[in-house]
């Protein structure tokens, strides 16, 4: 049991105090609803459970709502697709390194999968290449996956998330729960093409880690370094109101492009700007996915 | 045009170069920059590219302005001067206005002051002094070529002599001895009033001052009625001798001369006296090479000016004098323009330059 997962667990524990404990699990469990699951036992209803999963007869007998629990006939696999290029060593909008947010999001999803008895695997990489880690259902394994993300530094190669997605599209045949850990990527035709392919084959969820703003009120202070080219960015030039305005317009157009691409394929998405938002946004992501279907 | 401290230029340029190298080295001080991803969100904007280009231009302009400022200040510090050697012409005529302020003269003194003022107005560059005397002599002002001052003094004298109240104060010190109108003493005082008048020849070897005094022509414009009362230390003849020895010309004004040429034939007792006085003055004037005029004489002023200026034997030339004229205007003007340009450019130079440099240094360190 490693330290990264401990941090994720403590975060989940705090979250559990604010929302009902089973809430997240219920949301997660509903993802594969109807996928050939066999009835296992009954458990108490918690908000978030599908109403159609309620065993009405058992409920009538006991006087409290009960949910039918299923045993997966075959183990589901959660595949995390993450960018481990040096883009993730850059800062998120909240000022933390993006990889910290990614570790937290991946840890939460991994623990949910483990709790559900699923296995977790990871496809990660950068512009130089993509690596696939096998699917296993142990906490030790999840910890190891998180370490791959945590190891990201500025000495890594530049990022290219699309090539990781293309790797998944090319190599994974069976239906997976696919969670993409992405940042402010540009919705270009190459990305749109691979997303369409993945969506046809898998359940796809999209976690958007929001990059640091380069202009406007939440812009980075001091000197900025473009991690792609390792060159200074004269962010202070964006203090010019006209430039800040055109930046805001361009950012809105970019966000609209990505949102359109994902929504046309019915992919649920959530944006995370700080580690504090991770739990809530993952919950929203799962709920959106359930509702969107 | 030359640079007086030309060695400041290489020295200053070396200092500037040293500072630049030092600053260049100090780039090693790293402020770890904020890493951001997808910087193309900003850097690909046309507005950003435009702003970057204009910023670069301003930066280049600022560096140029700074260089111009440094060089022009160095040039100004090196003191651009134009050297010229001039031989100053010295005005070599001294004139002593010598005014009898005895009671018999008081009525005519204002008129005499008018003549003096006219005279002073005609001279250019000559040094002028003024002495008033009755039984003793007082120097009103010593030799000076400050004509404004002289005119002021003459105006003050005119005003004082015109009113009896002020005259008492003005004439203080002129009545220290017994008697009145001691012409000989007055003339002697005037002669002595010239600096080192007597012993120029003897003292010429001593110093420059007496040597400089040597070639000067001296004139006394003596206004008196020559009505002696009392016993002077010097008779008029003795004083004349003194003037002759000192090579000083005496131009005499006589207010009591009404133009009659033959005083001796007058029947009234007064006239022989007046005649004697006029004759004495005439003798004095002619003995010293000067001239005698009646106060009313129309041609007196023009004649005196002509004669005094004719005494110039040779133009007196001073020692060649090297003079340096500074020309700081052009370099300092250029420096001011450069400074203005720097201010107008409003480049946030220090912060951004340091930041950019530190990022470069940081990247070099991270990715060798």
């Amino acid at each position: 049991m490693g330290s990264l997962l401990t941090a994720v667990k403590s975060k989940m524990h705090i979250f559990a105090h604010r929302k009902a404990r089973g809430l997240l699990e219920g949301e997660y469990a509903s993802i594969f609803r109807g996928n050939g699951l066999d009835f296992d036992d009954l458990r108490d209803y918690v908000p978030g459970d599908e109403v159609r999963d309620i065993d009405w007869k058992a409920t009538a007998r006991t006087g409290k709502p009960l949910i039918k629990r299923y045993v997966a006939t075959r183990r589901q696999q959660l595949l995390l697709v993450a960018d481990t290029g040096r883009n993730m060593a850059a800062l998120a909008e909240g000022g933390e390194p993006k990889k910290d947010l990614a570790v937290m999001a991946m840890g939460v999803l991994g623990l949910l999968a483990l709790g559900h008895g699923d296995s977790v695997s990871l496809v990660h990489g950068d512009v130089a290449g993509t690596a696939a880690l096998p699917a296993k259902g142990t906490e030790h394994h999840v910890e190891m996956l998180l370490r791959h993300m945590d190891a990201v530094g500025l000495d890594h190669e530049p990022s290219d998330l699309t090539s990781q997605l293309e790797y998944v599209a090319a190599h994974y045949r069976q239906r997976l729960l696919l969670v993409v850990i992405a940042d402010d990527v540009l919705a270009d035709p190459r990305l749109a093409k691979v997303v369409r392919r993945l969506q046809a084959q898998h359940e796809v969820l999209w976690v958007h880690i929001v990059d640091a703003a380069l202009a406007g009120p939440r812009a980075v202070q001091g000197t900025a370094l473009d991690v792609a080219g390792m060159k200074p960015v004269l962010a202070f030039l964006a203090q010019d109101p006209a430039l800040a305005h055109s930046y805001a317009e361009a950012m809105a157009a970019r966000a609209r492009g990505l949102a359109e691409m994902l929504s046309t394929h019915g992919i649920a998405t959530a944006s995370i700007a700080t580690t504090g938002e991770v739990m809530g946004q993952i919950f929203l992501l799962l709920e959106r996915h359930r509702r969107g279907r | 045009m030359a640079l007086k401290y030309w060695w400041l230029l290489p020295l200053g340029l070396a200092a500037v170069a040293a500072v630049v190298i030092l600053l260049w080295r100090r780039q090693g001080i790293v402020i770890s920059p904020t890493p951001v991803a997808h910087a193309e969100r900003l850097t690909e904007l046309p507005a950003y590219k435009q702003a970057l280009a204009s910023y670069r231009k301003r930066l280049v302009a600022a560096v140029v302005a700074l260089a111009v400022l440094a060089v022009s200040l160095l040039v100004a510090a090196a003191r651009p001067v134009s050297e010229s050697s001039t031989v100053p012409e010295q005005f070599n005529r001294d004139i002593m206005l010598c005014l009898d302020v005895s009671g018999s003269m008081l009525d005519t003194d204002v008129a005499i002051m008018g003549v003096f003022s006219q005279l002073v107005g005609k001279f250019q560059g000559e040094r002028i002094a003024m002495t008033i005397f009755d039984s003793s002599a007082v120097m009103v002002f010593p030799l000076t070529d400050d004509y404004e001052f002289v005119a002021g003094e003459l105006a003050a004298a005119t005003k004082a002599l015109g009113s009896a109240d002020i005259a008492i104060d003005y004439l203080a010190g002129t009545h220290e001895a017994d008697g009145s109108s001691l012409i000989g003493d007055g003339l002697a005082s005037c002669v002595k009033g010239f600096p080192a008048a007597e012993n120029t020849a003897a003292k010429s070897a001593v110093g420059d001052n007496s040597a400089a005094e040597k070639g000067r022509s001296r004139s006394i414009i003596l206004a008196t009625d020559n009505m002696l009362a009392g016993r002077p230390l010097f008779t008029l003849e003795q004083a004349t001798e003194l003037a002759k020895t000192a090579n000083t010309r005496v131009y005499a004004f006589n207010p009591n001369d009404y133009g009659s040429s033959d005083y001796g034939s007058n029947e009234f007792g007064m006239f022989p006296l007046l005649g004697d006085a006029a004759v004495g003055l005439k003798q004095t004037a002619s003995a010293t090479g000067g001239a005698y005029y009646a106060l009313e004489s129309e041609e007196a002023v023009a004649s005196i000016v002509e004669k005094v200026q004719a005494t110039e034997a040779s133009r007196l030339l001073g020692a060649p004098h090297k003079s340096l004229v500074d020309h700081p205007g052009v370099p300092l003007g250029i420096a001011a323009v450069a400074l203005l340009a720097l201010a107008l450019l409003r480049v946030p130079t220090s912060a951004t330059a340091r930041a950019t440099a530190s990022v470069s240094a940081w990247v070099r360190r991270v990715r060798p």
Side-chain angles (χ1 to χ4, degrees):
Chain A
M1 178 71 194
S3 57
L4 291 171
L5 214 48
T6 315
V8 174
K9 276 183 170 173
S10 66
K11 206 73 167 191
M12 284 179 85
H13 181 71
I14 296 166
F15 183 76
H17 278 285
R18 289 192 303 219
K19 309 225 177 193
R21 173 165 281 281
L23 209 57
L24 259 174
E25 284 160 20
E27 291 286 354
Y28 179 81
S30 68
I31 289 174
F32 285 108
R33 176 181 53 77
N35 272 352
L37 301 172
D38 290 340
F39 174 75
D40 181 20
D41 63 353
L42 296 167
R43 63 167 175 80
D44 286 348
Y45 168 87
V46 291
D49 282 337
E50 282 285 312
V51 174
R52 57 182 290 182
D53 283 348
I54 294 176
D55 186 337
W56 293 109
K57 283 180 181 168
T59 302
R61 271 201 304 279
T62 57
K64 61 178 179 181
L66 290 171
I67 292 286
K68 280 180 273 193
R69 193 126 69 159
Y70 298 91
V71 158
T73 47
R74 53 194 161 90
R75 274 163 75 88
Q76 295 299 321
Q77 188 185 332
L78 166 66
L79 176 60
L80 300 167
V81 184
D83 162 23
T84 48
R86 59 176 181 243
N87 265 8
M88 296 308 281
L91 295 194
E93 195 181 39
E96 296 154 296
K98 282 157 65 185
K99 65 175 185 181
D100 288 2
L101 277 66
V103 164
M104 189 60 68
M106 287 161 67
V108 168
L109 288 164
L111 284 175
L112 286 173
L114 291 186
H116 200 255
D118 291 344
S119 60
V120 184
S121 59
L122 172 66
V123 167
H124 73 97
D126 46 40
V127 76
T130 304
L133 292 151
K136 283 181 190 171
T138 64
E139 288 195 351
H140 179 80
H141 180 68
V142 173
E143 171 73 19
M144 192 193 72
L145 300 186
L146 298 191
R147 294 229 165 128
H148 273 96
M149 174 55 75
D150 195 49
V152 171
L154 287 171
D155 50 347
H156 279 217
E157 293 295 318
S159 297
D160 186 18
L161 183 63
T162 310
S163 67
Q164 275 81 62
L165 294 174
E166 282 168 352
Y167 178 92
V168 172
H171 291 83
Y172 288 81
R173 297 282 166 228
Q174 82 276 30
R175 191 168 178 80
L176 301 169
L177 171 58
L178 204 65
V179 179
V180 182
I181 311 292
D183 54 6
D184 278 9
V185 289
L186 180 66
D188 56 7
R190 185 176 155 221
L191 182 63
K193 189 180 164 198
V194 71
V195 164
R196 187 167 64 241
R197 273 190 66 187
L198 289 172
Q199 168 58 22
Q201 211 172 350
H202 309 287
E203 296 281 334
V204 181
L205 283 80
W206 195 275
V207 175
H208 174 204
I209 293 171
V210 185
D211 269 297
L214 296 173
R218 302 179 70 183
V220 290
Q221 299 297 310
T223 315
L225 169 75
D226 176 13
V227 295
M230 295 303 265
K231 291 208 175 78
V233 179
L234 302 185
F236 65 88
L237 288 177
Q239 284 165 3
D240 173 46
L243 180 51
H245 180 71
S246 63
Y247 171 81
E249 276 186 351
M251 282 305 292
R254 192 186 176 104
R256 218 180 306 122
L258 185 65
E260 269 173 26
M261 183 193 81
L262 295 175
S263 68
T264 49
H265 297 116
I267 296 173
T269 173
S271 297
I272 302 172
T274 64
T275 47
E277 286 178 10
V278 170
M279 302 299 303
Q281 289 297 321
I282 294 285
F283 174 75
L284 282 174
L285 177 69
L286 295 174
E287 190 168 72
R288 275 180 201 144
H289 181 72
R290 177 166 63 81
R291 288 182 194 282
R293 213 167 30 185
Chain B
M1 191 80 79
L3 294 174
K4 188 155 170 66
Y5 307 125
W6 58 269
W7 45 266
L8 257 176
L9 276 188
L11 208 67
L13 287 177
V16 167
V19 166
V20 167
I21 288 170
L22 213 66
L23 287 177
W24 201 265
R25 287 253 177 96
R26 281 189 54 182
Q27 283 185 8
I29 297 169
V30 172
I31 310 154
S32 71
T34 311
V36 294
H38 295 291
E40 77 274 2
R41 289 174 295 159
L42 179 66
T43 55
E44 291 298 313
L45 291 176
Y48 176 85
K49 286 178 176 167
Q50 213 175 327
L52 188 66
S54 102
Y55 174 71
R56 286 213 172 113
K57 268 184 216 156
R58 282 192 297 163
L59 210 57
V60 167
V63 167
V64 169
L66 206 61
V68 168
L69 180 67
V71 169
S72 57
L73 283 182
L74 271 177
V75 169
R79 219 184 140 190
V81 290
S82 61
E83 269 179 46
S84 60
S85 59
T86 52
V87 183
E89 257 176 46
Q90 285 179 347
F91 295 101
N92 58 347
R93 294 180 288 258
D94 295 342
I95 296 154
M96 179 75 77
L97 304 176
C98 202
L99 178 63
D100 182 355
V101 289
S102 61
S104 57
M105 286 289 287
L106 276 179
D107 294 339
T108 51
D109 273 344
V110 173
I112 291 169
M113 288 311 295
V115 175
F116 278 2
S117 297
Q118 277 182 48
L119 271 172
V120 168
K122 303 261 178 177
F123 288 128
Q124 276 301 325
E126 284 81 2
R127 294 197 297 184
I128 294 172
M130 180 169 168
T131 300
I132 55 174
F133 68 93
D134 186 2
S135 64
S136 57
V138 170
M139 185 171 271
V140 179
F141 54 89
L143 284 171
T144 176
D145 55 3
D146 182 348
Y147 281 77
E148 219 172 302
F149 169 76
V150 169
E153 284 295 319
L154 291 182
T158 309
K159 193 181 168 194
L161 294 170
S163 97
D165 300 340
I166 317 172
I168 293 170
D169 287 340
Y170 189 76
L171 301 178
T174 59
H175 210 80
E176 295 300 312
D178 293 334
S180 171
S181 262
L182 304 181
I183 316 296
D185 288 2
L187 183 56
S189 293
C190 290
V191 172
K192 289 289 184 183
F194 290 111
E198 189 139 334
N199 301 322
T200 38
K203 284 186 180 171
S204 61
V206 176
D208 287 334
N209 193 34
S210 54
E213 298 293 339
K214 200 174 171 185
R216 309 185 71 86
S217 91
R218 301 201 168 85
S219 308
I220 291 171
I221 299 173
L222 176 65
T224 179
D225 55 3
N226 199 12
M227 289 293 182
L228 182 65
R231 290 187 49 178
L233 296 173
F234 288 86
T235 64
L236 184 57
E237 286 72 25
Q238 284 169 331
T240 306
E241 278 304 310
L242 208 57
K244 273 170 74 178
T245 316
N247 201 15
T248 303
R249 290 170 184 79
V250 176
Y251 300 87
F253 268 110
N254 187 355
N256 286 351
D257 189 331
Y258 301 109
S260 69
S261 53
D262 188 8
Y263 293 102
S265 65
N266 279 307
E267 296 160 29
F268 304 104
M270 187 70 176
F271 283 95
L273 194 57
L274 291 175
D276 286 346
V279 168
L281 281 175
K282 274 180 182 170
Q283 281 171 354
T284 297
S286 59
T288 57
Y292 169 87
Y293 304 93
L295 181 61
E296 307 291 306
S297 169
E298 297 270 330
E299 76 272 18
V301 170
S303 169
I304 289 179
V305 170
E306 191 188 320
K307 283 184 176 168
V308 167
Q309 288 179 345
T311 59
E312 180 187 44
S314 65
R315 192 172 285 267
L316 198 67
L317 294 180
H321 180 72
K322 195 167 88 173
S323 68
L324 294 176
V325 182
D326 280 299
H327 299 289
V330 173
L332 285 185
I334 292 172
V337 168
L339 201 62
L340 191 71
L342 263 183
L344 288 179
L345 282 168
R346 286 189 306 165
V347 181
T349 39
S350 72
T352 56
R354 210 185 316 129
T356 311
S358 79
V359 169
S360 315
W362 191 85
V363 169
R364 274 204 301 276
R365 188 173 291 183
V366 173
R367 299 167 62 82

